[in-house]
Amino acid sequence: MKGCTSPALVFGLVLPQLGLAQKILDGVVQWNIQKRHASTIPNRLPRRAGSTYDAILRNERLQGGYYTDCEMGTPGQKVTLQLDTGSSDIWVPDSATSVCEDNGCQFGSFDPGSSSTFKLVGKDQFSINYVDKSGANGDYFTDVFKIGGVAVKNLTMGLGVDTDIPQGVAGIGYPNNEATANGYGKYPNLAVSMADEGLIKSMAYSLWLNDLDASQGSILFGGIDTKKYKGDLTRIKIYPAVNGEYFAFIVALTSLHAVSSSGNDTLTSKSFPIPVVLDSGTTLSYLPQDIVQQVWYEVGADYDDRFGMAVLPCSKQKTDGYFSFGFAGPNGPRINVRMDELVLDLTTGSPPKFTSGRYKGQEMCEFGIQTLGSSDGPFLLGDTFLRSAYVVYDLVNNEIALAETQFNSTGSNVVAFASMGAPIPSATQAPNQAAVTMKPEVTTPAYSASDGFGDDGDENASSGMPSAFGLAQMSVMGVAMLFTMIGSGVFVVL
Ligand SMILES: *[C@@H]1O[C@H](CO)[C@@H](O)[C@H](O)[C@H]1NC(C)=O
Ligand SMILES: *[C@@H]1O[C@H](CO)[C@@H](O)[C@H](O)[C@H]1NC(C)=O
Ligand SMILES: *[C@@H]1O[C@H](CO)[C@@H](O)[C@H](O)[C@H]1NC(C)=O
Ligand SMILES: *[C@@H]1O[C@H](CO)[C@@H](O)[C@H](O)[C@H]1NC(C)=O
């Protein structure tokens, strides 16, 4: 079929088959997901008010995302979708769109005319827009949605009839964030439909992205896998928008420490507690400028005008230091993110080199923690953070459970949610989360390790704060509506 080419060949790499889903045990469904580059994918953050973040966009194009193979319709048409916790619709480009007709959609597309079970339910009522002004408009339809042996018989999905995006997305966030238009009401999206059809017992799933150097991770609907994390799972609150409705996976980041053999530095921000969105559809992490400045200082990253972001020598991958992210107050969970998860390739070819300055001649990589220069957000913990965490998303109790990931784990011990609305299995709640509304006691950074990560014999690595931020380069045009709603009010007791 035209526009429906095999997704197996991407950038000349033959990839193993992915998307094999299994019914692990009663009430639990697993999808395998795979890290892939895609030169054409846009940023997955829905654009809410015409805002543009060039820095995010550039990164999304380069770094790609996590994908899964599935089938839609009867007989099944193969499509490969990008997994996204930051949006809420499963949608796919129509095979007849010009983007698929002209270029072929290498991740697959959908031909409604070839499915005997296709049903149009919302003509012109699907409309999603992303920060780079790309988007998709079209219809809602219901059809069979299948991954491996597991079928959702009647799933509502979007059909990109008019789109410039050559691939589909599996948005698995809150139904409140669905991209409905022209009066189409809230509908049961993937997790809700899986629960309705008895495939899972509660609307919840666990995401294990695994190591930066590993290509495969998994998502488990309706359960957790105790062999995929270290220590204990701790449950923390998801914060609603000011109207009390839940739109996104916003949690409270309440501390950040930089730990290395030279000591333990407490980093601070006037924005603490920082409302951060856990977003698998964003590749890097974006925090407030004041704290990111300290982070860059720790690792010796410098803002580079050419790339519009902070860069550092690729050799810093070997630095023996990590950042410890604390959530939900002093007794909440902490996730350590090592330097080898934070130093990423800047280009797909051979790395560029520093042409001047303290790193002259060394290979240049991009740093996984960046800033958009705004103190209002959005603040995102994307894949550079999420790989180091095992994250359970509970859409019924509005809680997230976190633990440190067990990289490359091959063992498995799956535990299902007991029933609709049952708490996350094997997880204890972080105590005293009400205290999160208070400002932190430490308001200036406490550097006990004054040389930062001062590692690998490069004693000049932290010879001062990065000076040139060049924030004008970042073209921050406005703040996304989502963050206008949640922004400052998120920790106010309602
Ligand atoms: C399929 O799902 C839609 C949307 O939730 C619903 O309106 C419709 O009744 C369902 N059809 C069947 C046969 O269950
Ligand atoms: C995980 O596996 C990848 C690929 O085999 C490897 O490069 C990486 O070092 C492993 N990570 C850990 C933490 O063992
Ligand atoms: C770093 O310091 C903080 C605050 O003093 C402390 O809570 C944390 O446990 C320390 N981390 C390590 C790894 O020593
Ligand atoms: C540190 O900087 C000084 C002066 O700029 C230079 O002479 C020295 O070689 C540098 N050391 C390293 C390890 O780069």
Side-chain angles (χ1 to χ4, degrees):
M1 184 193 324
K2 200 166 184 185
C4 203
T5 53
S6 162
L9 208 62
V10 181
F11 289 129
L13 279 173
V14 179
L15 297 164
Q17 201 190 348
L18 58 139
L20 300 170
Q22 298 161 269
K23 198 161 163 183
I24 298 281
L25 52 87
D26 200 34
V28 185
V29 174
Q30 176 172 317
W31 296 0
N32 291 334
I33 54 175
Q34 189 151 33
K35 185 144 56 67
R36 285 188 174 185
H37 295 286
S39 56
T40 47
I41 60 159
N43 173 23
R44 295 269 73 92
L45 238 196
R47 174 170 57 99
R48 296 296 172 177
S51 56
T52 303
Y53 294 116
D54 288 350
I56 297 191
L57 171 60
R58 209 200 63 78
N59 271 296
E60 299 309 308
R61 291 232 161 102
L62 174 67
Q63 300 294 343
Y66 287 85
Y67 289 82
T68 191
D69 279 348
C70 62
E71 287 180 23
M72 290 177 181
T74 311
Q77 302 178 32
K78 283 198 171 120
V79 289
T80 300
L81 303 175
Q82 184 181 359
L83 185 73
D84 184 16
T85 59
S87 65
S88 301
D89 302 88
I90 291 190
W91 76 268
V92 67
D94 187 326
S95 302
T97 53
S98 51
V99 66
C100 290
E101 294 232 307
D102 298 348
N103 311 317
C105 284
Q106 64 172 356
F107 286 87
S109 59
F110 185 69
D111 175 13
S114 304
S115 172
S116 63
T117 41
F118 172 88
K119 214 181 253 169
L120 182 69
V121 294
K123 178 90 184 126
D124 297 328
Q125 290 185 305
F126 166 66
S127 178
I128 194 161
N129 294 292
Y130 299 99
V131 295
D132 62 343
K133 299 193 169 64
S134 67
N137 295 302
D139 310 326
Y140 277 110
F141 68 100
T142 58
D143 211 328
V144 182
F145 177 80
K146 213 189 263 180
I147 294 197
V150 181
V152 183
K153 292 195 196 73
N154 180 31
L155 183 64
T156 304
M157 295 173 275
L159 184 66
V161 174
D162 175 18
T163 179
D164 46 4
I165 305 173
Q167 62 151 71
V169 175
I172 54 171
Y174 280 109
N176 280 330
N177 209 21
E178 287 163 355
T180 57
N182 300 328
Y184 199 76
K186 193 159 72 177
Y187 68 86
N189 67 2
L190 181 68
V192 181
S193 296
M194 285 174 92
D196 286 351
E197 296 190 16
L199 295 168
I200 56 177
K201 290 185 190 138
S202 195
M203 272 98 74
Y205 45 81
S206 307
L207 190 55
W208 181 66
L209 295 185
N210 203 4
D211 201 331
L212 180 60
D213 294 319
S215 57
Q216 194 141 314
S218 63
I219 181 165
L220 207 55
F221 289 89
I224 65 162
D225 186 341
T226 65
K227 292 280 170 66
K228 295 287 189 282
Y229 59 85
K230 295 187 277 197
D232 297 317
L233 277 173
T234 307
R235 280 151 47 206
I236 61 176
K237 280 174 67 161
I238 299 173
Y239 288 83
V242 284
N243 65 0
E245 300 262 21
Y246 291 84
F247 285 86
F249 301 118
I250 303 159
V251 296
L253 177 66
T254 47
S255 69
L256 184 59
H257 291 96
V259 186
S260 70
S261 50
S262 64
N264 176 353
D265 290 343
T266 302
L267 310 184
T268 62
S269 171
K270 63 177 168 34
S271 304
F272 271 134
I274 303 171
V276 289
V277 181
L278 302 180
D279 182 10
S280 73
T282 295
T283 57
L284 302 188
S285 295
Y286 299 86
L287 292 174
Q289 184 179 339
D290 58 356
I291 200 162
V292 167
Q293 215 160 344
Q294 298 156 46
V295 168
W296 290 356
Y297 168 73
E298 289 285 342
V299 302
D302 292 333
Y303 183 80
D304 186 290
D305 280 338
R306 248 186 326 159
F307 295 102
M309 60 170 14
V311 297
L312 76 183
C314 300
S315 60
K316 295 270 182 189
Q317 227 155 31
K318 302 193 194 81
T319 303
D320 177 31
Y322 61 87
F323 289 92
S324 184
F325 290 74
F327 297 87
N331 300 311
R334 288 193 183 176
I335 302 295
N336 296 337
V337 182
R338 299 187 323 230
M339 277 298 278
D340 59 350
E341 298 291 327
L342 290 171
V343 179
L344 285 80
D345 294 342
L346 196 46
T347 55
T348 43
S350 58
K353 289 194 170 150
F354 285 89
T355 53
S356 61
R358 55 178 163 157
Y359 300 129
K360 192 171 173 190
Q362 297 189 48
E363 291 186 337
M364 186 190 276
C365 276
E366 75 178 9
F367 187 54
I369 301 173
Q370 302 281 340
T371 184
L372 295 167
S374 159
S375 58
D376 300 327
F379 305 124
L380 305 167
L381 293 179
D383 298 340
T384 53
F385 168 82
L386 291 171
R387 278 187 278 269
S388 298
Y390 188 74
V391 186
V392 189
Y393 300 80
D394 178 350
L395 285 71
V396 180
N397 297 302
N398 303 308
E399 286 188 318
I400 294 273
L402 290 172
E404 274 195 74
T405 200
Q406 184 78 57
F407 287 121
N408 293 345
S409 164
T410 49
S412 181
N413 175 42
V414 173
V415 182
F417 278 73
S419 58
M420 180 60 70
I424 298 168
S426 309
T428 51
Q429 195 167 39
N432 199 18
Q433 292 186 70
V436 163
T437 54
M438 297 187 308
K439 284 288 164 197
E441 282 159 34
V442 185
T443 51
T444 50
Y447 292 120
S448 63
S450 53
D451 288 339
F453 281 8
D455 43 294
D456 50 23
D458 181 2
E459 71 269 23
N460 294 352
S462 43
S463 53
M465 282 301 217
S467 50
F469 271 79
L471 288 170
Q473 297 283 322
M474 292 192 176
S475 308
V476 177
M477 311 290 283
V479 174
M481 190 180 93
L482 183 61
F483 291 90
T484 312
M485 283 191 306
I486 63 171
S488 47
V490 70
F491 297 119
V492 176
V493 180
L494 297 169

